[in-house]
Amino acid sequence: MSDNDASATKEKTAARPAHFIQNIIRKDLEQGTVKQVITRFPPEPNGYLHIGHAKSICLNFGMAEEFGGLCNLRFDDTNPEKESEEYVNAIKADVHWLGFSWNGQIRFTSDYFEQLYQWAVHLIEQGKAYVCHLSPDEARQYRGTLTEPGTNSPYRDRTVEENLELFEQMRVGELAEGSCVLRAKIDMAAPNINLRDPIIYRIKKAHHHNTGDAWKIYPSYDFAHGQSDAIEGITHSICTLEFEDHRPLYDWFLDNLPVPARPRQYEFARLNVNYTITSKRKLKQLVDEDRVDGWDDPRMPTLSGMRRRGFPAEALRNFCTQIGVTRADSVVDVGMLEYTVRDHLDKNAPRAMCVLRPLRVTLTNYPNDKMEEMRAPGHPNREDLGERVLPFTHNIYIDQDDFREEANKKYKRLVLGKRVRLRNAYIIEADEVIKDEQGNIVEVLARVVEDTLGKDPTDGVKAKGVIHWVSATHHLNCEVRLYDRLFTDPAPDAGGKDFMQSLNPNSLEVLSNCKAEISLASAKLHDHFQFEREGYFCLDSRYSTLEKPVFNRAIGLRDSWAKIEQTQ
Ligand code: ATP
Ligand code: MG
């Protein structure tokens, strides 16, 4: 199964009713206002991408694909202190893994620093920008409030010459950090506070991951974004709703600068998922405080975490299609994400057997030196996934949870004195238990019921249930890691709550003595499997070794949380 085949997702996208951005683009193309769609995905390299970014990636790259256009990958790197090469590389890998290719080289806002600087000079020359020495506190007072207009800064009416000179001093590093800023001269009484002479350049004597120490001043997001879009000829600049109030400013800069193109900004609702946090800053806190095993911890909602856990890229793309694109804020149930993963893996993951908590069973009537090769399909409805060979021997392992000395009728597994079917093999009957000094069951003695391969027993005593097993002499020793949701609170960070308080203490369970069927010895990284009756698994990219494979459970076979919530 290939994670990177975007075509299946495309078919599904096409079958859904068009969303508002598709409608806008279609109209622009029909009316000829746009010849070729060019979108961009503009992450800031200050952390790893998360599930929310997947929505934005699928939308931006998806629109370009659907309408025969192009999508750029542009790093919005105007904040040197928080950005790094590590994040740049991780983001590139994640976008690729999701199944998308960007147009040409990757781009950086920092590639445009010289041009942006020239445009700032242009604004000054036009009398539309000035250097301001108000302290942050003073600036706040001058800004006014939502109900009261602001007041003009005393530095607002400086001459062009004075502004040019001061801005040059800012640029070469002659002025101290925080001593002044460059502001656009728009309107201190504008109802939209973003238009009240916003800051466009700050002094920051910080090392930049791309431009090194070349710059002592850095543009604001607002001064950089629209202009970068214009430089790249972006036609539809798609972003999340929190930028809606910035759109007038986006437009003001484009209208007041000699830019080579006129992009338009469109906003959609960001993806929120319950039991999850989607903020790079907060995810970074989990990493920095060692609450998780790095950005790619399989419990993290990062793309690298979900990849390591075993969520296929195609399942994430399907999820992004399912949730749709609107302008209405909402919270998506994480159960829907889990369902999409489960649904995809059910259709595509080959089956295997793995005993997580082994209990030894000796088949007293099956010769010690005998071995039969049982055959089992790779997948119940996918012949293309071939066949597995399961060695059947005198000693086998079953799961401790699949045996009881006594049980009521609801328990359809092995009970002392009763029968059970071993999956893809014989029916057995349990005769005796062997216990250690503490009274723990350490072994079960059982018998194979003759002539029950693929048949009911001739004596008419049927087995009620089917359990999985592996040979005790021909198997693969492995470790299995079971994951649960990282947070117990459906809204871990709502209303400023401390999300550290609702970390799920049981979100990781490590089982180090597991026994998998021997066919799994040839499992490769990023292969997915259904361990029958246990869930969907893949090899862990960090801890798995040839000597000791480590399997991550991507997701269980059913939603265990839905049940808990219903009974609450
Ligand atoms: P975070 O708060 O996690 O750092 P961000 O918006 O600051 O998110 P960026 O790197 O600036 O992160 O985001 C890149 C793009 O992804 C932006 O266009 C942004 O609108 C979009 N994006 C970020 N979070 C979400 C989300 N939860 N749902 C949809 N799109 C998102
Ligand atoms: Mg951002």
Side-chain angles (χ1 to χ4, degrees), residues 119-132:
W119 278 334
V121 169
H122 177 89
L123 281 186
I124 295 174
E125 286 168 350
Q126 301 290 310
K128 291 176 183 165
Y130 62 98
V131 174
C132 180

mmCIF file of all heavy atoms in Angstrom, residues 119-132:
data_model
loop_
_atom_site.group_PDB
_atom_site.id
_atom_site.type_symbol
_atom_site.label_atom_id
_atom_site.label_comp_id
_atom_site.label_asym_id
_atom_site.label_seq_id
_atom_site.Cartn_x
_atom_site.Cartn_y
_atom_site.Cartn_z
ATOM 1 N N TRP A 119 10.469 48.365 -0.399
ATOM 2 C CA TRP A 119 9.069 48.814 -0.373
ATOM 3 C C TRP A 119 8.774 49.652 0.871
ATOM 4 O O TRP A 119 7.963 50.572 0.839
ATOM 5 C CB TRP A 119 8.116 47.602 -0.481
ATOM 6 C CG TRP A 119 7.947 47.158 -1.907
ATOM 7 C CD1 TRP A 119 8.085 47.936 -3.021
ATOM 8 C CD2 TRP A 119 7.597 45.846 -2.372
ATOM 9 N NE1 TRP A 119 7.845 47.190 -4.162
ATOM 10 C CE2 TRP A 119 7.543 45.901 -3.795
ATOM 11 C CE3 TRP A 119 7.326 44.636 -1.761
ATOM 12 C CZ2 TRP A 119 7.219 44.793 -4.585
ATOM 13 C CZ3 TRP A 119 7.001 43.538 -2.533
ATOM 14 C CH2 TRP A 119 6.957 43.617 -3.939
ATOM 15 N N ALA A 120 9.442 49.346 1.953
ATOM 16 C CA ALA A 120 9.277 50.173 3.157
ATOM 17 C C ALA A 120 9.815 51.580 2.874
ATOM 18 O O ALA A 120 9.180 52.585 3.216
ATOM 19 C CB ALA A 120 10.004 49.536 4.336
ATOM 20 N N VAL A 121 10.973 51.634 2.202
ATOM 21 C CA VAL A 121 11.541 52.928 1.823
ATOM 22 C C VAL A 121 10.558 53.679 0.905
ATOM 23 O O VAL A 121 10.317 54.875 1.064
ATOM 24 C CB VAL A 121 12.907 52.732 1.120
ATOM 25 C CG1 VAL A 121 13.393 54.038 0.486
ATOM 26 C CG2 VAL A 121 13.932 52.180 2.114
ATOM 27 N N HIS A 122 9.945 52.927 -0.010
ATOM 28 C CA HIS A 122 8.964 53.520 -0.916
ATOM 29 C C HIS A 122 7.816 54.170 -0.125
ATOM 30 O O HIS A 122 7.415 55.302 -0.414
ATOM 31 C CB HIS A 122 8.424 52.445 -1.867
ATOM 32 C CG HIS A 122 7.354 52.932 -2.795
ATOM 33 N ND1 HIS A 122 7.630 53.471 -4.027
ATOM 34 C CD2 HIS A 122 6.000 52.964 -2.671
ATOM 35 C CE1 HIS A 122 6.499 53.809 -4.617
ATOM 36 N NE2 HIS A 122 5.493 53.514 -3.812
ATOM 37 N N LEU A 123 7.323 53.444 0.876
ATOM 38 C CA LEU A 123 6.225 54.010 1.681
ATOM 39 C C LEU A 123 6.679 55.293 2.374
ATOM 40 O O LEU A 123 5.940 56.282 2.418
ATOM 41 C CB LEU A 123 5.735 53.003 2.733
ATOM 42 C CG LEU A 123 4.806 51.873 2.285
ATOM 43 C CD1 LEU A 123 4.325 51.089 3.510
ATOM 44 C CD2 LEU A 123 3.608 52.388 1.493
ATOM 45 N N ILE A 124 7.891 55.265 2.913
ATOM 46 C CA ILE A 124 8.405 56.470 3.584
ATOM 47 C C ILE A 124 8.449 57.635 2.578
ATOM 48 O O ILE A 124 7.987 58.739 2.856
ATOM 49 C CB ILE A 124 9.827 56.231 4.165
ATOM 50 C CG1 ILE A 124 9.773 55.169 5.269
ATOM 51 C CG2 ILE A 124 10.420 57.529 4.700
ATOM 52 C CD1 ILE A 124 11.150 54.759 5.812
ATOM 53 N N GLU A 125 8.980 57.341 1.404
ATOM 54 C CA GLU A 125 9.098 58.394 0.378
ATOM 55 C C GLU A 125 7.739 58.962 -0.013
ATOM 56 O O GLU A 125 7.612 60.126 -0.360
ATOM 57 C CB GLU A 125 9.809 57.843 -0.867
ATOM 58 C CG GLU A 125 11.302 57.663 -0.624
ATOM 59 C CD GLU A 125 11.992 56.849 -1.723
ATOM 60 O OE1 GLU A 125 11.283 56.255 -2.570
ATOM 61 O OE2 GLU A 125 13.215 56.788 -1.720
ATOM 62 N N GLN A 126 6.729 58.100 0.054
ATOM 63 C CA GLN A 126 5.381 58.554 -0.283
ATOM 64 C C GLN A 126 4.699 59.237 0.910
ATOM 65 O O GLN A 126 3.520 59.555 0.842
ATOM 66 C CB GLN A 126 4.511 57.362 -0.694
ATOM 67 C CG GLN A 126 5.020 56.570 -1.890
ATOM 68 C CD GLN A 126 4.900 57.367 -3.182
ATOM 69 O OE1 GLN A 126 3.837 57.906 -3.481
ATOM 70 N NE2 GLN A 126 5.992 57.477 -3.925
ATOM 71 N N GLY A 127 5.422 59.355 1.996
ATOM 72 C CA GLY A 127 4.812 59.939 3.200
ATOM 73 C C GLY A 127 3.837 58.989 3.866
ATOM 74 O O GLY A 127 2.924 59.400 4.579
ATOM 75 N N LYS A 128 4.013 57.692 3.645
ATOM 76 C CA LYS A 128 3.064 56.715 4.175
ATOM 77 C C LYS A 128 3.679 55.799 5.234
ATOM 78 O O LYS A 128 3.122 54.743 5.542
ATOM 79 C CB LYS A 128 2.489 55.883 3.035
ATOM 80 C CG LYS A 128 1.564 56.702 2.133
ATOM 81 C CD LYS A 128 1.087 55.891 0.947
ATOM 82 C CE LYS A 128 0.221 56.762 0.039
ATOM 83 N NZ LYS A 128 0.036 56.142 -1.271
ATOM 84 N N ALA A 129 4.839 56.163 5.731
ATOM 85 C CA ALA A 129 5.422 55.392 6.827
ATOM 86 C C ALA A 129 6.346 56.314 7.607
ATOM 87 O O ALA A 129 6.896 57.261 7.049
ATOM 88 C CB ALA A 129 6.197 54.197 6.298
ATOM 89 N N TYR A 130 6.481 56.028 8.906
ATOM 90 C CA TYR A 130 7.327 56.884 9.757
ATOM 91 C C TYR A 130 7.951 56.071 10.880
ATOM 92 O O TYR A 130 7.421 55.045 11.300
ATOM 93 C CB TYR A 130 6.516 58.050 10.323
ATOM 94 C CG TYR A 130 5.359 57.627 11.209
ATOM 95 C CD1 TYR A 130 5.486 57.623 12.600
ATOM 96 C CD2 TYR A 130 4.137 57.258 10.654
ATOM 97 C CE1 TYR A 130 4.427 57.248 13.413
ATOM 98 C CE2 TYR A 130 3.078 56.877 11.455
ATOM 99 C CZ TYR A 130 3.219 56.874 12.835
ATOM 100 O OH TYR A 130 2.181 56.482 13.629
ATOM 101 N N VAL A 131 9.093 56.569 11.325
ATOM 102 C CA VAL A 131 9.774 55.936 12.456
ATOM 103 C C VAL A 131 9.180 56.519 13.734
ATOM 104 O O VAL A 131 9.032 57.733 13.861
ATOM 105 C CB VAL A 131 11.295 56.200 12.381
ATOM 106 C CG1 VAL A 131 11.980 55.677 13.641
ATOM 107 C CG2 VAL A 131 11.866 55.546 11.125
ATOM 108 N N CYS A 132 8.813 55.621 14.645
ATOM 109 C CA CYS A 132 8.107 56.030 15.852
ATOM 110 C C CYS A 132 8.872 55.562 17.079
ATOM 111 O O CYS A 132 9.311 54.413 17.152
ATOM 112 C CB CYS A 132 6.702 55.425 15.834
ATOM 113 S SG CYS A 132 5.730 55.850 17.273
#
